[in-house]
Amino acid sequence: MKRDKVIPVITVHDPSVDPDKVIFKTRSGTEFKREKFDKTTGRYVLNLVGGNANDGQELYALYPKPGGGYYNLGKLLIVSYPSYRIKVKIVPVANDLDEFEALRGELEKIYSRVGIECIVEKMPVFAYSSPLLFADKSGVFSAYTDEMKKLQGAYVENYGIDPEASYLFVLLYSGQGDDRNYTGFMPLNKQFGYLFRRDFGSFEEFAVAAAHELAHGRLSLRHPFDKSLGLPEGSVADNLMDYRHGRELAKWQWDVIHDPGIVLRVFERDEDVAIIVDRNKNAVTIRWNNCQPQMVANKKLLLYDGVCADTKENVTYYRLVNNGGIVAHY
């Protein structure tokens, strides 16, 4: 069980009330002694201990009544979230990333605040010469461009993929200047993201953007100003998911990222860059022979026969004719 600090603030309007007499107790009777109290500002510092994962407890601020018992001044609901790990692969494209160690430290720090251990690894420089990835802007805010799909397909073909890891490709320029809609990009629930280092004014902005994009792809978090949430931009102070370089997450965002469906989620994949994984989450190697053209789900695919299919796992494999992407049907 981990500890965290809470800072209650009490404003006293009655001079007969002594804020030094305020105590903090849970419904079960556990009292948390204050570490500090500033009588001038009315600020207390409490060091709380979390409970079991997914448990909640109520903490009350109490003031003694003259004849016995307590006045209830306020209540705080304390929720204990389970901790878990996410794996992140940083892939420099064409140019090395000298700031990797600093980036890893920032990602670890930002995500540790919400109970997530971020395992960050730097991959070899991907020697890929790419045109501007945003040359075609159609649908760019929700899906990969054609150039991104080509890059991803080339990377998978050369290096394979860890089905449980998120990948951030780091390039120099987006071609769109410092427009934050383009300096970093990772669609919701997707495995691959993009960052353009020299489009950011500082390393801090770049590191926060990396955490922001991962939260889209791996943790299913939306912008607070997304139309599905309806909050004005900038209305959630210092929020990681806004475009103001914040690092904090609100209670409702904690609820999203610790939902079991997110913790155990499988990345949504575009069919043309899908990765084959067997039921034990091991990479599957397929021989590209004995294939017959078929129509599957109204798409022209190549259907693998029994020689290529993994009959033990009851999986049938298909290959897209136009670009070599792979999909697996169970």
Side-chain angles (χ1 to χ4, degrees):
M1 297 182 185
K2 294 188 176 182
R3 294 178 175 271
D4 204 353
K5 292 187 184 297
V6 171
I7 303 177
V9 179
I10 295 179
T11 303
V12 178
H13 299 284
D14 185 343
S16 66
V17 172
D18 182 3
D20 198 45
K21 295 181 179 180
V22 174
I23 64 172
F24 299 89
K25 276 189 175 184
T26 65
R27 182 181 291 274
S28 63
T30 301
E31 181 175 353
F32 288 96
K33 301 291 186 180
R34 61 180 183 256
E35 287 188 353
K36 298 178 183 178
F37 170 56
D38 186 330
K39 199 166 186 175
T40 303
T41 61
R43 293 167 64 92
Y44 303 79
V45 177
L46 305 178
N47 192 5
L48 304 184
V49 179
N52 295 324
N54 300 315
D55 280 353
Q57 56 182 326
E58 296 170 331
L59 179 66
Y60 294 87
L62 304 173
Y63 189 82
K65 293 180 178 180
Y70 292 94
Y71 295 107
N72 178 14
L73 304 182
K75 179 179 72 173
L76 174 68
L77 176 62
I78 305 168
V79 180
S80 296
Y81 295 92
S83 60
Y84 66 97
R85 296 178 176 180
I86 60 174
K87 293 195 289 186
V88 181
K89 311 285 188 180
I90 305 296
V91 184
V93 178
N95 298 276
D96 201 1
L97 180 64
D98 296 333
E99 300 162 311
F100 169 73
E101 291 299 334
L103 176 61
R104 175 166 61 183
E106 288 299 311
L107 290 176
E108 290 173 348
K109 184 189 305 182
I110 290 171
Y111 279 109
S112 67
R113 296 173 64 93
V114 290
I116 296 176
E117 183 182 1
C118 201
I119 310 299
V120 188
E121 179 184 2
K122 181 183 177 184
M123 307 306 289
V125 175
F126 182 31
Y128 183 84
S129 178
S130 173
L132 294 179
L133 298 183
F134 291 113
D136 174 15
K137 297 183 184 179
S138 61
V140 69
F141 299 108
S142 60
Y144 298 118
T145 65
D146 289 342
E147 292 300 331
M148 289 177 178
K149 293 175 182 179
K150 291 177 182 177
L151 185 154
Q152 291 159 198
Y155 185 82
V156 172
E157 182 177 352
N158 282 276
Y159 293 98
I161 210 79
D162 180 344
E164 296 182 339
S166 297
Y167 286 76
L168 288 178
F169 295 107
V170 181
L171 298 91
L172 293 184
Y173 299 102
S174 66
Q176 305 298 321
D178 61 357
D179 185 339
R180 185 60 186 87
N181 291 310
Y182 299 95
T183 55
F185 178 70
M186 193 168 189
L188 205 68
N189 301 331
K190 296 292 188 178
Q191 189 169 20
F192 302 108
Y194 293 83
L195 292 163
F196 301 90
R197 176 62 186 94
R198 294 190 181 172
D199 288 346
F200 292 95
S202 67
F203 169 76
E204 181 181 2
E205 293 178 6
F206 167 66
V208 170
H212 173 110
E213 299 305 334
L214 280 172
H216 282 317
R218 180 62 183 83
L219 304 177
S220 300
L221 289 185
R222 300 176 184 271
H223 298 132
F225 51 85
D226 186 272
K227 63 181 180 180
S228 66
L229 299 174
L231 298 173
E233 185 171 353
S235 61
V236 185
D238 301 318
N239 196 265
L240 177 65
M241 300 314 296
D242 211 327
Y243 278 161
R244 297 168 186 258
H245 316 305
R247 294 166 174 261
E248 307 296 330
L249 290 174
K251 163 66 166 62
W252 55 270
Q253 292 169 314
W254 282 57
D255 291 340
V256 171
I257 65 178
H258 287 282
D259 181 275
I262 300 302
V263 176
L264 302 176
R265 65 179 297 281
V266 176
F267 292 107
E268 295 178 6
R269 302 188 186 281
D270 292 337
E271 287 182 340
D272 50 6
V273 292
I275 312 304
I276 290 182
V277 179
D278 69 18
R279 292 180 181 176
N280 294 318
K281 297 185 178 180
N282 298 314
V284 176
T285 301
I286 299 300
R287 287 179 290 151
W288 302 96
N289 58 357
N290 298 323
C291 299
Q292 302 173 356
Q294 297 286 332
M295 291 294 292
V296 179
N298 296 321
K299 294 180 182 294
K300 188 177 181 181
L301 308 176
L302 292 179
L303 171 63
Y304 289 97
D305 64 10
V307 175
C308 298
D310 184 348
T311 55
K312 181 179 179 181
E313 292 291 341
N314 192 28
V315 180
T316 304
Y317 300 100
Y318 304 96
R319 179 184 182 187
L320 292 177
V321 171
N322 57 352
N323 53 27
I326 304 169
V327 292
H329 291 249
Y330 290 87

Coordinates of all heavy atoms in Angstrom, one line a residue, residues 18 20 23 26 45 59 88 95 111 114 120 136 150 154 173 181 227 271-272 302 318 322:
D18 N -11.6 26.9 17.3 CA -10.1 26.7 17.3 C -9.8 25.7 16.3 O -10.0 24.5 16.5 CB -9.6 26.3 18.7 CG -8.1 26.1 18.8 OD1 -7.5 26.4 17.7 OD2 -7.6 25.7 19.8
D20 N -7.2 24.3 15.6 CA -6.2 23.3 16.0 C -6.8 22.1 16.6 O -6.2 21.0 16.8 CB -5.3 24.0 17.1 CG -4.0 23.2 17.3 OD1 -3.4 22.8 16.3 OD2 -3.7 23.0 18.5
I23 N -9.9 17.2 13.9 CA -9.3 15.9 13.7 C -9.8 15.3 12.4 O -10.8 15.7 11.9 CB -9.5 14.9 14.9 CG1 -11.0 14.6 15.0 CG2 -9.0 15.5 16.2 CD1 -11.3 13.6 16.0
T26 N -11.6 8.3 9.6 CA -12.4 7.5 8.7 C -13.6 7.0 9.4 O -13.7 7.0 10.6 CB -11.6 6.3 8.1 OG1 -11.3 5.4 9.2 CG2 -10.3 6.7 7.5
V45 N -1.7 19.3 6.4 CA -1.0 18.3 5.6 C -1.2 17.0 6.2 O -0.8 16.7 7.4 CB 0.5 18.6 5.4 CG1 1.1 17.5 4.6 CG2 0.7 20.0 4.8
L59 N -13.0 9.9 4.5 CA -12.3 10.6 5.6 C -13.0 11.8 6.0 O -13.4 12.7 5.1 CB -10.9 11.0 5.1 CG -10.0 11.7 6.0 CD1 -9.6 10.8 7.2 CD2 -8.7 12.2 5.3
V88 N 6.8 1.0 -23.3 CA 6.9 2.0 -24.3 C 8.2 1.9 -25.1 O 9.3 1.8 -24.5 CB 6.8 3.4 -23.7 CG1 6.9 4.5 -24.8 CG2 5.6 3.6 -22.9
N95 N 17.3 9.9 -37.4 CA 18.3 10.6 -36.6 C 18.2 10.1 -35.2 O 17.1 9.8 -34.7 CB 18.1 12.1 -36.6 CG 18.2 12.7 -38.0 OD1 19.3 13.0 -38.4 ND2 17.1 12.8 -38.7
Y111 N 3.9 9.4 -15.1 CA 3.0 8.2 -15.0 C 3.0 7.6 -13.6 O 2.0 7.0 -13.2 CB 3.2 7.2 -16.1 CG 2.5 7.6 -17.4 CD1 3.3 8.0 -18.5 CD2 1.2 7.6 -17.5 CE1 2.7 8.4 -19.6 CE2 0.5 8.0 -18.6 CZ 1.3 8.4 -19.7 OH 0.7 8.8 -20.9
V114 N 0.1 8.5 -11.2 CA -1.2 7.9 -11.4 C -1.1 6.3 -11.2 O -1.9 5.6 -11.7 CB -1.9 8.2 -12.7 CG1 -2.3 9.7 -12.7 CG2 -1.0 7.9 -13.9
V120 N 10.3 2.1 -20.3 CA 10.7 2.8 -21.5 C 12.0 2.3 -22.1 O 13.0 2.2 -21.4 CB 10.8 4.3 -21.3 CG1 10.9 5.1 -22.6 CG2 9.6 4.9 -20.6
D136 N -1.1 14.4 -46.7 CA -2.6 14.2 -46.9 C -3.2 14.4 -45.5 O -3.0 13.5 -44.6 CB -2.9 12.8 -47.4 CG -4.3 12.5 -47.4 OD1 -5.1 13.4 -47.3 OD2 -4.7 11.3 -47.6
K150 N 2.7 3.3 -44.3 CA 3.8 2.8 -45.0 C 5.0 2.6 -44.0 O 5.8 1.6 -44.0 CB 4.2 3.6 -46.2 CG 3.2 3.6 -47.3 CD 3.6 4.5 -48.4 CE 2.5 4.5 -49.5 NZ 2.9 5.5 -50.6
A154 N 6.8 -0.8 -42.8 CA 8.2 -1.1 -43.1 C 8.9 -1.4 -41.8 O 9.8 -2.3 -41.7 CB 8.8 0.2 -43.7
Y173 N 10.8 16.9 -38.1 CA 9.8 17.9 -38.4 C 8.5 17.2 -38.9 O 8.5 16.2 -39.6 CB 10.3 18.8 -39.5 CG 11.6 19.6 -39.2 CD1 12.8 19.1 -39.6 CD2 11.5 20.7 -38.3 CE1 14.0 19.8 -39.3 CE2 12.7 21.4 -38.0 CZ 13.9 20.9 -38.5 OH 15.0 21.6 -38.2
N181 N -1.6 20.4 -33.2 CA -2.4 19.3 -33.8 C -1.5 18.3 -34.6 O -1.9 17.2 -34.9 CB -3.5 19.9 -34.7 CG -4.5 20.6 -33.9 OD1 -5.1 20.1 -33.0 ND2 -4.8 21.8 -34.3
K227 N -15.4 16.9 -28.2 CA -16.9 17.1 -28.2 C -17.7 16.1 -27.4 O -18.8 16.4 -26.9 CB -17.4 17.1 -29.7 CG -17.2 15.8 -30.4 CD -17.7 15.9 -31.8 CE -17.6 14.6 -32.6 NZ -18.1 14.7 -34.0
E271 N -6.2 -2.8 -40.5 CA -6.0 -4.1 -41.1 C -4.7 -4.2 -41.9 O -4.0 -5.2 -42.0 CB -7.2 -4.5 -42.0 CG -8.4 -4.8 -41.2 CD -9.6 -5.3 -42.1 OE1 -9.5 -4.9 -43.3 OE2 -10.5 -5.9 -41.6
D272 N -4.3 -3.0 -42.5 CA -3.1 -3.1 -43.4 C -1.8 -3.0 -42.6 O -0.8 -3.1 -43.2 CB -3.2 -2.0 -44.5 CG -3.5 -0.6 -43.9 OD1 -3.5 -0.5 -42.7 OD2 -3.7 0.3 -44.7
L302 N -5.6 -12.7 -49.5 CA -5.1 -14.0 -49.8 C -5.3 -14.9 -48.6 O -5.0 -14.5 -47.4 CB -3.6 -13.9 -50.0 CG -3.2 -13.2 -51.3 CD1 -1.6 -13.2 -51.5 CD2 -3.8 -13.9 -52.5
Y318 N -4.9 -14.2 -43.0 CA -5.2 -13.6 -44.3 C -4.1 -12.5 -44.6 O -3.6 -11.9 -43.6 CB -6.5 -12.9 -44.3 CG -7.7 -13.9 -44.0 CD1 -8.1 -14.0 -42.7 CD2 -8.2 -14.7 -44.9 CE1 -9.2 -14.9 -42.3 CE2 -9.2 -15.6 -44.6 CZ -9.7 -15.7 -43.3 OH -10.7 -16.5 -43.0
N322 N -2.9 -5.7 -51.5 CA -2.3 -4.5 -52.0 C -1.1 -4.0 -51.2 O -0.2 -3.3 -51.8 CB -3.3 -3.3 -52.0 CG -3.9 -3.1 -50.6 OD1 -3.7 -3.9 -49.7 ND2 -4.7 -2.1 -50.5

